Amino acid sequence: MNEREPKPEIKKGLKNVYIDKTKSSFIDGKQGKLIYRGYNIHDLASKSTFEEIVYLLINGDLPDKEELNKIDLELKSNRQINKEILSVIQSMKNSHPMDVLRTCMSLLSASDSNPDDISIENAKRIGFRITAILPTIVATHHRLRNGQQPIQPNDQLTHAENFLYMLSGEIPDPRDAKLIDKDLILHAEHGVNASSFAARVAASTRADFYSSMTAAISTLKGPLHGGAAEGVMKITLEIGNEENASDYVAKVRQSGGRVMGFGHAVYKVEDPRARHLREGSKRLAEKLGQPQWFQILSKVEDHMQPYAERGICVNVDFWSESVYYLLGIPEDLFIPIFALARVPGYVVQVLEQQDGNMLI
Ligand code: ACO
């Protein structure tokens, strides 16, 4: 560098750097707003299904009845894994589920007849395929590592119902499946975060779609990103009962620690996704005869209230983690569920990168 040239401004972590416009989502961290393609997350979470959101994000608007039937059939017809993928999952039986997901994501290109075509139509086709097949990979690995036979996908069930069915082998209570459906909707897209950015970097080199998705899944694994979703139930178990919640919060604050499930890099008011699973968590805890989990979490929320003024508010993980826990889903599947949900978001970020692409 020439000594007379001004020093370049280093923006570590690309903080406050904008790389592109996006039509897929709009986030207002000060107002606590999240919009997918013009639709408020509150409306989508209370009135839509994950299948509709997949269509909305990838195709740009909500489907009509016929379009919804078509996407539903397309997703159902892509749920099966082949024997090569099954054998890789078997060979990785003892690995972390995210390692299995990352490896299988890469391997999926081998069973695709047209993996290198980066046209919009082909990228959408692959996007639907990946959305449909990832739950089967996660559930198959989970069954095999527990010494159980994998469960074949059931075409009579919705995306969320089928995922729970493939994990447990039992047709789920529709109200429980609806909570997972909501959770998938809430996690489906969130602008250019670390994993979406990784997908965009790969796409910017004109790498194939599977490469972009593998980069995204690899990046999501880290504890500073998707991995953050593994902490809330730990603290709930540590607190043990609702009377201890106040002391717990005070102790963490005095030591300068973080109460898991609070604070967000973007939202400085309540994360708009957080409230949608609160009631479901309460119902599940009561149904299981374990109301203490909901009571502890509610008390933690109350005792954290004074910090809301400083922008430390409840985030989406707080209630979603309790739902996973109460549904009997083990902690190491929390990040894979995040990944299953985020696929349509990755697809749309890659499509937007390809539109007027510039190498990053
Ligand atoms: N509990 C208590 N205090 C907190 C918390 C928290 N959860 N989060 C931030 N603070 C405090 C910090 O101690 C700091 O206080 P100080 O100014 O007195 O030192 C202040 O708030 C600012 O903290 P930053 O780390 O600068 O805030 P940032 O917005 O960058 O952090 C983060 C965001 C990393 C998510 C943080 O809030 C955190 O660690 N939360 C707990 C983990 C968690 O729930 N992660 C999931 C996020 S949601 C998601 O990823 C989908």
Side-chain angles (χ1 to χ4, degrees), residues 17-18 30 50 116 121 150 153 171 176-177 261 269 275 303 335 350:
V17 173
Y18 294 84
K30 287 188 190 132
F50 183 64
D116 290 321
E121 279 322 301
I171 305 281
D176 297 351
V269 292
R275 71 180 78 158
H303 292 296
I335 321 172
V350 168

Side-chain angles (χ1 to χ4, degrees), residues 193-196 216 219-229 317 338 342 346:
N193 49 69
S195 51
S196 303
T219 310
L220 184 68
K221 186 185 174 192
L224 297 184
H225 192 6
D317 287 342
F338 189 165
R342 187 51 62 85
Y346 294 146

Side-chain angles (χ1 to χ4, degrees), residues 19-320:
I19 61 151
D20 205 351
K21 288 184 179 154
T22 172
K23 288 187 189 145
S24 61
S25 58
F26 171 77
I27 305 161
D28 184 335
K30 287 188 190 132
Q31 306 269 345
K33 264 194 194 159
L34 174 61
I35 314 274
Y36 293 170
R37 298 247 186 226
Y39 295 92
N40 194 302
I41 195 66
H42 298 310
D43 293 331
L44 297 174
S46 45
K47 294 181 193 146
S48 294
T49 62
F50 183 64
E51 284 84 342
E52 287 176 313
I53 299 306
V54 172
Y55 188 97
L56 169 70
L57 286 170
I58 297 181
N59 284 331
D61 209 343
L62 284 168
D64 61 25
K65 209 164 170 226
E66 198 181 316
E67 289 162 338
L68 184 60
N69 282 341
K70 217 168 140 205
I71 186 73
D72 192 40
L73 282 179
E74 175 141 10
L75 291 173
K76 283 178 175 164
S77 67
N78 275 296
R79 285 177 178 170
Q80 298 280 348
I81 53 170
N82 63 21
K83 58 179 191 317
E84 283 77 28
I85 293 178
L86 179 62
S87 109
V88 166
I89 298 175
Q90 258 155 348
S91 71
M92 296 184 75
K93 214 163 60 175
N94 299 318
S95 300
H96 190 284
M98 278 306 278
D99 295 343
V100 177
L101 206 53
R102 184 194 61 226
T103 302
C104 290
M105 177 64 84
S106 180
L107 184 63
L108 281 172
S109 72
S111 52
D112 193 313
S113 55
N114 193 17
D116 290 321
D117 171 2
I118 59 167
S119 66
I120 291 179
E121 279 322 301
N122 200 46
K124 285 185 179 181
R125 177 190 63 78
I126 298 175
F128 292 130
R129 179 186 185 216
I130 292 174
T131 305
I133 206 169
L134 289 200
T136 316
I137 293 169
V138 173
T140 301
H141 173 247
H142 181 64
R143 303 270 316 168
L144 289 172
R145 70 179 175 168
N146 287 313
Q148 296 166 309
Q149 279 300 315
I151 306 279
Q152 290 302 307
N154 181 336
D155 283 356
Q156 302 302 310
L157 302 178
T158 66
H159 192 77
E161 287 169 345
N162 180 56
F163 175 55
L164 289 179
Y165 168 69
M166 290 189 299
L167 282 179
S168 70
E170 285 166 26
I171 305 281
D173 177 333
R175 291 179 304 167
D176 297 351
K178 190 61 212 157
L179 286 175
I180 289 296
D181 185 69
K182 247 184 218 215
D183 182 70
L184 298 178
I185 293 172
L186 297 169
H187 284 90
E189 160 64 7
H190 213 259
V192 185
N193 49 69
S195 51
S196 303
F197 182 67
R200 274 181 172 257
V201 172
S204 82
T205 72
R206 297 221 180 279
D208 67 282
F209 199 75
Y210 289 100
S211 297
S212 297
M213 297 301 277
T214 308
I217 297 289
S218 307
T219 310
L220 184 68
K221 186 185 174 192
L224 297 184
H225 192 6
E230 285 186 353
V232 177
M233 279 327 284
K234 274 198 191 102
I235 67 159
T236 315
L237 295 167
E238 198 182 322
I239 293 169
N241 74 61
E242 59 180 310
E243 280 86 50
N244 299 337
S246 160
D247 285 351
Y248 176 84
V249 169
K251 202 173 81 192
V252 173
R253 289 300 301 148
Q254 272 157 21
S255 64
R258 308 280 163 104
V259 180
M260 301 311 284
F262 289 84
H264 193 277
V266 179
Y267 296 115
K268 298 305 165 199
V269 292
E270 183 183 309
D271 178 339
R273 302 165 297 177
R275 71 180 78 158
H276 290 281
L277 294 171
R278 195 176 194 279
E279 273 311 297
S281 170
K282 182 170 189 239
R283 181 187 61 74
L284 270 181
E286 282 163 2
K287 176 175 141 183
L288 293 174
Q290 297 174 350
Q292 72 275 20
W293 300 126
F294 179 78
Q295 288 156 1
I296 295 169
L297 290 167
S298 296
K299 285 282 176 214
V300 172
E301 207 183 21
D302 291 346
H303 292 296
M304 283 298 288
Q305 199 52 43
Y307 304 102
E309 274 173 24
R310 295 183 45 200
I312 308 163
C313 305
V314 64
N315 65 46
V316 64
D317 287 342
F318 190 70
W319 292 109
S320 68

